[in-house]
Amino acid sequence: MRLPSTQALRALEAFSRHGTVWQAAAELNITRSAVSHQLRFLEQDLGFALLERAGKGVALTPQGKRYAADVRRALNVLADAAVQYVDRGVLRGALTVSSTPGFASFWLCSHVAEFKRLYPDVSLRIVTPQRLDDVETPGVDAFIAYGDGEWPRHAVELISAVDFMPVCSPILLNQLGGLGEPVDMFRAVLLHLDGLGDWLNWFAAAGVVGPRIDQGVIFSDMNLVLAAAISGQGIAIGDNFVCRHLLDMGRLVRPFDFAVRSARAYYFVTEHERGGNPAIQAFAAWLKSRVAQTTPVMHR
């Protein structure tokens, strides 16, 4: 049987993940009509229906879904073929890792040179997602994601649980004259990431009910939260990974030792089909080992 067009197979794989022609077209950087043509041509080549009408749009037939899953596995095998061992046993290839911004900036960037020293022939690329729990970005081989660990279609491995605690600039702490009780933090601006949940959880665990939790400043990125905290603009909730280096340098301090375990955690996430990729395996093993060596003991 003649092999189908690679472009058509990529169009099918992208459509199967997104469920819409326009999203598949955006990912592949082609027009919607081009995606539709590729899918129709693929149906003709294969001799069976891939698509069926679904309301005002189209969806994959049951046979189309099964074939798309096989295509995804095959494309992953082709991608992983670029990662190989040469005769002298040196790992080669390219690896793209997506990491949450805070983890990438304040932990991964402090340790990643060690991985390059161990595997100099692996071309490593680090990217950051818009969502902390994103594990679907095209072109990414592995994800360091922050979430509840529920990604059913992926292989998920815990990196570490997360403990939250207030952090602030030592200059701000001096300006406030110190903080004797957790309720004293309402004398400063509270800095939030995305919403109020982390602060609400910490105050609840500390037995504090305050009227001004929602009067702080909300940021969309942990780097912005910590930049404001370092500049003395308020008190932030930080975690034991993101803030470890800043605390060690004295750029941030903990006004209270009390920390709260988060319901979410950091996970290493990959597609099941990529489990045999040697570069992914090497990065995962290095990450777990380095995390075990650097994880601080928190007081809760």
Side-chain angles (χ1 to χ4, degrees):
M1 179 179 179
R2 183 171 64 88
L3 289 176
S5 159
T6 303
Q7 289 182 326
L9 294 176
R10 291 183 62 209
L12 173 64
E13 193 279 331
F15 178 80
S16 71
R17 279 188 288 107
H18 293 294
T20 64
V21 170
W22 72 266
Q23 286 177 303
E27 177 182 319
L28 299 174
N29 198 28
I30 58 178
T31 64
R32 300 181 190 182
S33 61
V35 171
S36 298
H37 286 311
Q38 293 285 1
L39 294 177
R40 284 199 295 271
F41 292 151
L42 185 57
E43 281 186 321
Q44 294 173 6
D45 274 351
L46 296 173
F48 59 83
L50 294 171
L51 304 174
E52 59 186 358
R53 299 298 301 179
K56 296 182 179 180
V58 294
L60 289 175
T61 64
Q63 193 171 10
K65 291 179 181 178
R66 292 193 297 271
Y67 184 72
D70 289 338
V71 167
R72 181 176 300 112
R73 284 190 288 271
L75 291 176
N76 284 336
V77 168
L78 292 174
D80 290 345
V83 181
Q84 56 184 314
Y85 287 100
V86 296
D87 291 340
R88 58 193 177 94
V90 175
L91 187 65
R92 292 175 178 248
L95 179 64
T96 298
V97 176
S98 171
S99 172
T100 61
F103 193 105
S105 296
F106 297 104
W107 191 90
L108 189 56
C109 287
S110 299
H111 301 284
V112 72
E114 180 184 65
F115 178 81
K116 285 298 296 179
R117 286 194 296 270
L118 293 171
Y119 304 100
D121 293 318
V122 174
S123 175
L124 180 63
R125 178 171 175 254
I126 306 295
V127 299
T128 56
Q130 292 185 337
R131 296 192 338 269
L132 301 181
D133 61 351
D134 175 46
V135 295
E136 299 286 353
T137 301
V140 172
D141 300 299
F143 299 82
I144 298 173
Y146 179 71
D148 59 9
E150 295 297 323
W151 294 283
R153 295 184 291 108
H154 295 76
V156 179
E157 188 168 2
L158 177 69
I159 297 174
S160 179
V162 171
D163 290 319
F164 280 122
M165 69 283 186
V167 294
C168 66
S169 161
I171 295 176
L172 176 64
L173 190 60
N174 289 335
Q175 290 174 346
L176 294 172
L179 298 172
E181 302 286 342
V183 71
D184 292 340
M185 285 191 290
F186 291 112
R187 290 159 42 202
V189 175
L190 300 184
L191 308 175
H192 307 274
L193 174 63
D194 287 334
L196 310 179
D198 294 337
W199 268 119
L200 288 171
N201 291 337
W202 191 90
F203 277 122
V208 176
V209 177
R212 297 175 48 216
I213 294 178
D214 61 348
Q215 294 183 15
V217 181
I218 299 175
F219 297 89
S220 64
D221 190 298
M222 194 62 192
N223 294 326
L224 301 178
V225 175
L226 294 180
I230 291 169
S231 299
Q233 302 305 299
I235 305 175
I237 284 285
D239 73 58
N240 49 316
F241 269 96
V242 170
C243 295
R244 173 69 184 276
H245 187 54
L246 297 173
L247 291 167
D248 288 345
M249 292 191 303
R251 299 183 69 187
L252 292 175
V253 295
R254 297 176 59 185
F256 301 98
D257 286 336
F258 180 65
V260 174
R261 177 59 51 89
S262 172
R264 294 178 289 175
Y266 290 112
Y267 293 90
F268 189 74
V269 185
T270 57
E271 292 184 353
H272 286 293
E273 293 81 4
R274 310 303 294 272
N277 183 311
I280 294 177
Q281 292 176 338
F283 187 87
W286 167 79
L287 179 66
K288 288 184 291 183
S289 174
R290 198 71 184 116
V291 165
Q293 296 174 42
T294 60
T295 302
V297 177
M298 303 297 297
H299 303 285
R300 292 186 286 145

